Amino acid sequence: MTDTFIHPELAALRPLLCHPDPAVRCVALLQAADLVAADDVTLFVHAARDPAPEVRQEAVRALEGAAAPEAVTTLLECLGDADIRVRNAAAASLAELRDTAAGLLLVERFGGADSNVRSAILAALRNLRLPESLALAQQGLADPLPATRREAVRVLAYLRAPQALPHLAQAASDADPQVRRAAVGALGYASDDSTLPALLQSLLDSDWEVREESAVTLGKLLLPSSAGGLITALLSDQFWQVRLKAATALGRLRESSAVPALANALKHTISNLRKEAASALGTIGDSAAVPALTAALDDPDLEVRKIASHSLSLLAKPVSR
């Protein structure tokens, strides 16, 4: 290492930074990170090209969130490193970027990057919420790598742009279940019922976590026309977790037509589902729930009994709608 890369305050560390043992160089980099100003990245840019992967890893960690162009460029280069530890560290460091101007460097690099690099770029752009990210994320939804498509969904979710909703609705039918789940969750910022067909279809997804996420999102959107699909999920889904979220959503909808299904859920073997059903019946406030809630006062689970009692007390009061 030449003097070009030695900060004046690091003179005592110079022998360690040039030591033949990579472990010693790593320790020296950690010490240097405490001494060098945040905007002085030269030492770490140089160390990111060290022959030893463990040294490169520490160097890119030291560049975390650094907005200097040479730091961003170096981290982008390290996304293609031969060692996966270095690649992951570079992606994590880029994800901490908070500078808009530096983010634009990422935007410029996106077009010619491979899938892994695109995934890391999108992860870094997510928190920056740049308008330029919208087009990149939409492109990312067509990427062959599922991780890139997941990051594209997350960018669109953070941007909350109405024009992204059709793209997210399409991603809800992606081949990868994690992409579908992320897309279904992202649809929760919709302000109308345009995404309802995609969400209702997701209630029938082959992956139970996607179905669960769909029920959660429908519980946020509070679309009356979603009640039928949620009732079906509550009655017939093989996973109690999906049924629970459907019960929660139906309670938030205050959907009286769901009372029979919720009353039936009070007989389920899972106490958490029985508790949610009892709570939803109280929120709905329909007197038709009284017999089922009265029977739940003898439930073997104390919490179910408490919630059923509370719900019965709510039924005795006028319900504000």
Side-chain angles (χ1 to χ4, degrees):
M1 183 177 292
T2 67
D3 290 334
T4 304
F5 304 105
I6 297 299
H7 191 280
E9 296 182 15
L10 300 181
L13 287 178
R14 189 181 192 287
L16 301 179
L17 290 166
C18 301
H19 198 279
D21 186 343
V24 175
R25 300 202 298 278
C26 284
V27 172
L29 281 176
L30 287 170
Q31 295 174 339
D34 293 330
L35 295 174
V36 178
D39 59 349
D40 191 344
V41 299
T42 306
L43 169 64
F44 306 110
V45 166
H46 179 72
R49 298 178 177 87
D50 192 278
E54 59 267 42
V55 177
R56 300 198 300 275
Q57 182 181 15
E58 288 303 331
V60 298
R61 283 175 174 170
L63 292 172
E64 179 180 290
E70 59 267 37
V72 176
T73 299
T74 297
L75 290 173
L76 284 169
E77 291 172 356
C78 289
L79 291 174
D81 195 276
D83 192 284
I84 189 171
R85 295 169 298 173
V86 179
R87 298 198 300 271
N88 289 341
S93 291
L94 280 172
E96 295 302 315
L97 199 60
R98 295 294 183 270
D99 184 89
T100 298
L104 292 175
L105 291 175
L106 301 180
V107 171
E108 292 174 5
R109 292 296 186 93
F110 187 84
D114 65 24
S115 292
N116 287 304
V117 174
R118 284 186 170 202
S119 178
I121 288 175
L122 287 169
L125 289 173
R126 184 174 64 217
N127 289 323
L128 292 175
R129 302 186 183 185
L130 300 176
E132 293 84 356
S133 300
L134 179 61
L136 302 190
Q138 290 173 354
Q139 293 176 41
L141 289 176
D143 196 275
L145 187 70
T148 304
R149 301 198 300 274
R150 289 196 296 272
E151 291 300 340
V153 167
R154 293 180 181 124
V155 170
L156 294 176
Y158 269 57
L159 289 173
R160 301 178 70 86
Q163 60 267 44
L165 288 170
H167 299 276
L168 289 171
Q170 184 175 0
S173 60
D174 191 273
D176 183 82
Q178 293 186 51
V179 176
R180 297 199 302 273
R181 184 183 181 190
V184 166
L187 290 172
Y189 73 83
S191 59
D192 56 30
D193 63 355
S194 62
T195 61
L196 182 60
L199 289 169
L200 290 177
Q201 185 61 40
S202 295
L203 276 179
L204 304 173
D205 196 273
S206 59
D207 187 279
W208 75 267
E209 290 184 311
V210 176
R211 301 196 302 273
E212 180 187 37
E213 195 68 37
S214 179
V216 170
T217 299
L218 288 169
K220 295 175 181 177
L221 296 178
L222 299 180
L223 301 171
S225 50
S226 68
L230 289 166
I231 290 172
T232 299
L234 175 59
L235 286 171
S236 61
D237 199 280
Q238 61 180 319
F239 281 82
W240 68 266
Q241 296 94 329
V242 179
R243 292 187 177 197
L244 186 150
K245 299 304 182 184
T248 303
L250 289 165
R252 296 193 66 199
L253 276 168
R254 294 186 172 179
E255 181 56 51
S256 292
S257 65
V259 169
L262 289 165
N264 182 69
L266 284 174
K267 303 172 186 177
H268 199 275
T269 56
I270 300 295
S271 61
N272 281 343
L273 176 52
R274 300 199 304 275
K275 285 186 282 188
E276 197 60 41
S279 177
L281 287 170
T283 303
I284 291 170
D286 193 313
S287 60
V290 169
L293 287 170
T294 301
L297 295 176
D298 294 323
D299 192 276
D301 188 283
L302 175 60
E303 289 302 313
V304 175
R305 298 198 299 272
K306 285 182 178 179
I307 295 173
S309 176
H310 178 66
S311 291
L312 283 168
S313 70
L314 293 176
L315 291 179
K317 302 175 184 178
V319 176
S320 174
R321 290 184 181 269

